[in-house]
Amino acid sequence: MVLKMYLEWISTWNLSLVVSVLEGIYGIDSLVLSVNFSRGCQRNGLFIMLVFFVWGHFLRFSCYYIGGYEQGNGTFIQVALFCMLIPLKWVVFMIYFHDCKERYLEKKTDEELGKDVRVPQK
């Protein structure tokens, strides 16, 4: 339960950082906008953060398991993998931002036109 709340908050925080960079909206306004954008797709953000959370902890525990902290090589490898992980996380959050923004604007357009916002089931 606490992990779920933590991952949702971190997802919202990361999305607000992407909003700040891409939209030029800063501070509490970017947090509010990221909450509004992610309103329909919190589960996607939770899943993204869960993947990165598990991946990060796997890297830490694997380095600890092989004794990388006692040697310089394991720490170097772990830092190199984290340097690849962080830009990948930001690219994924940029894609997540565009998906959430598209859903938000589509829902807003449908509400303004008075159409039903439900997606027909196949």
Side-chain angles (χ1 to χ4, degrees), residues 8-18 27 31 34 90 93:
E8 286 176 350
W9 291 344
I10 294 297
S11 173
T12 303
W13 177 258
N14 286 325
L15 189 62
S16 72
L17 290 174
V18 171
L31 267 172
S34 69
W90 290 115
F93 265 96

Side-chain angles (χ1 to χ4, degrees), residues 52-65 69 78 82:
F52 284 107
F53 180 80
V54 168
W55 192 3
H57 279 76
F58 173 74
L59 289 176
R60 286 184 187 98
F61 287 133
S62 65
C63 188
Y64 178 73
Y65 180 73
Y69 293 115
Q78 182 184 13
F82 271 110

Side-chain angles (χ1 to χ4, degrees), residues 93-118:
F93 265 96
M94 286 177 55
I95 294 168
Y96 176 60
F97 165 72
H98 286 293
D99 182 49
C100 289
K101 184 177 178 181
E102 184 179 305
R103 287 183 186 193
Y104 177 77
L105 292 176
E106 182 179 301
K107 182 179 178 183
K108 187 174 179 182
T109 304
D110 287 344
E111 287 176 355
E112 288 176 357
L113 294 175
K115 295 180 182 177
D116 191 14
V117 294
R118 294 187 187 127

Side-chain angles (χ1 to χ4, degrees), residues 9-74:
W9 291 344
I10 294 297
S11 173
T12 303
W13 177 258
N14 286 325
L15 189 62
S16 72
L17 290 174
V18 171
V19 167
S20 295
V21 171
L22 295 180
E23 297 290 320
I25 301 170
Y26 306 105
I28 193 72
D29 294 332
S30 70
L31 267 172
V32 169
L33 194 58
S34 69
V35 167
N36 287 336
F37 280 168
S38 67
R39 190 155 299 195
C41 47
Q42 292 106 340
R43 185 169 270 174
N44 294 342
L46 178 70
F47 179 72
I48 291 169
M49 282 312 301
L50 182 65
V51 168
F52 284 107
F53 180 80
V54 168
W55 192 3
H57 279 76
F58 173 74
L59 289 176
R60 286 184 187 98
F61 287 133
S62 65
C63 188
Y64 178 73
Y65 180 73
I66 63 172
Y69 293 115
E70 297 163 358
Q71 307 165 355
N73 296 337

